Amino acid sequence: MDLPSGYKPDTEIDNEAMDPVWVQLAAILVARIDAAIYPPGRAIPSLNQLRQEFGVSKGTIVKATNHLAEQGRVRAVHGRGVFVLPRD
């Protein structure tokens, strides 16, 4: 699944939007990666930090980050975090 465009790094989750919350979160994270807010080799914020910032469930965050991992944008390292991968 391709993520929708138009999301910016500072976009907030909209529970009334047509896009599912996990898709919105994934698109926001990609916007932050593309803007080098989360540069390659660095971890994105922790699950708890993302839960606090966006007010979403753990499952929503896991689904969003798993989707980004499937796209080759991030890699989860057990016990360490989710790290941004370099773009080819």
Side-chain angles (χ1 to χ4, degrees):
M1 165 189 215
D2 288 330
L3 294 174
S5 60
Y7 284 86
K8 307 272 187 246
D10 61 348
T11 301
E12 294 183 12
I13 298 292
D14 179 357
N15 290 317
E16 304 299 318
M18 292 195 51
D19 293 323
V21 172
W22 76 267
V23 171
Q24 294 178 58
L25 178 59
I28 293 166
L29 294 175
V30 165
R32 291 179 179 186
I33 290 168
D34 290 346
I37 294 168
Y38 306 147
R42 295 284 180 106
I44 65 171
S46 71
L47 187 136
N48 285 332
Q49 289 170 317
L50 291 173
R51 283 177 63 194
Q52 184 174 15
E53 178 180 356
F54 291 103
V56 297
S57 71
K58 175 183 174 182
T60 296
I61 296 166
V62 169
K63 190 166 185 176
T65 56
N66 283 346
H67 183 74
L68 296 184
E70 290 169 5
Q71 290 188 323
R73 300 300 304 255
V74 300
R75 179 174 59 101
V77 178
H78 184 70
R80 297 203 47 221
V82 177
F83 292 83
V84 178
L85 294 174
R87 295 296 284 172
D88 294 330

